[in-house]
Amino acid sequence: GENVEQHPSTLSVQEGDSAVIKCTYSDSASNYFPWYKQELGKRPQLIIDIRSNVGEKKDQRIAVTLNKTAKHFSLHITETQPEDSAVYFCAANTGGFKTIFGAGTRLFVKA
Amino acid sequence: GAGVSQSPSNKVTEKGKDVELRCDPISGHTALYWYRQSLGQGLEFLIYFQGNSAPDKSGLPSDRFSAERTGGSVSTLTIQRTQQEDSAVYLCASSLEYSNQPQHFGDGTRLSIL
């Protein structure tokens, strides 16, 4: 079955710096890759997603890149702000019902 | 409602008791998912519904866990003879279809087994 690994588990950056979170997946049939942000005590919320026919997608300060050959995808946050502090989860879906989530990255943005 | 609604938001119960958790998905969403999130951990997939049927129950941790969905809408997750290791946040999510669609999560039920 699909396995998703996420790194780093914890990331601390200075306000204004960029943050990068990387994920790898095992099933080459995976074709949908969402990213979720979960603030403390809150529900996970979708922040961006990418499908396998696209290599990069950007939404304001957030971008996601996908390398199908290497089976990895990354989340890039530029000009980080304190409100970006949260746990971020990557996920992969093969087109079936099961979405497999990474273990999460706890991002701290220091003011 | 506008989003996925879960109840209760918090549940404290004694070991050995049965609990029932409820999820009301976004109207029109045919797919519904249950996850378990232990403190500081990731999301553990439990079960998925497409309409009223659950094609795969292999994510349920033990036979003490069961789930049903009626009318293609509300779902209940039941845990019988609760154990302390069942303590976690139980999250429900729904999506338009089962395949390659964003999942919308509820706020979860925080379950504490004494």
Side-chain angles (χ1 to χ4, degrees), chain B residues 68-79:
Chain B
E68 65 175 15
R69 187 181 186 193
T70 55
S73 182
V74 172
S75 175
T76 55
L77 176 69
T78 301
I79 309 174

Side-chain angles (χ1 to χ4, degrees), chain B residues 6 21 34-37 46 61 65 77 79 85-92 107-111:
Chain B
Q6 289 188 247
L21 313 180
W34 283 99
Y35 296 90
R36 180 168 70 174
Q37 187 174 32
L46 298 179
F65 288 70
L77 176 69
I79 309 174
E85 60 262 28
D86 298 335
S87 297
V89 175
Y90 289 81
L91 288 162
C92 174
D107 285 330
T109 294
R110 184 174 299 278
L111 178 63

Side-chain angles (χ1 to χ4, degrees), chain A residues 86-104:
Chain A
V87 178
Y88 291 81
F89 293 97
C90 64
N93 183 289
T94 60
F97 65 88
K98 187 179 284 189
T99 295
I100 304 300
F101 286 81

Side-chain angles (χ1 to χ4, degrees), chain B residues 42-106:
Chain B
L43 299 169
E44 177 189 3
F45 171 83
L46 298 179
I47 193 169
Y48 144 84
F49 287 90
Q50 178 62 21
N52 291 334
S53 65
D56 188 325
K57 301 179 181 180
S58 61
L60 295 176
S62 75
D63 58 8
R64 296 186 294 104
F65 288 70
S66 63
E68 65 175 15
R69 187 181 186 193
T70 55
S73 182
V74 172
S75 175
T76 55
L77 176 69
T78 301
I79 309 174
Q80 295 178 308
R81 305 181 303 282
T82 51
Q83 303 294 313
Q84 287 187 331
E85 60 262 28
D86 298 335
S87 297
V89 175
Y90 289 81
L91 288 162
C92 174
S94 69
S95 65
L96 275 172
E97 299 174 350
Y98 74 96
S99 175
N100 293 350
Q101 296 293 322
Q103 294 182 24
H104 301 264
F105 285 84

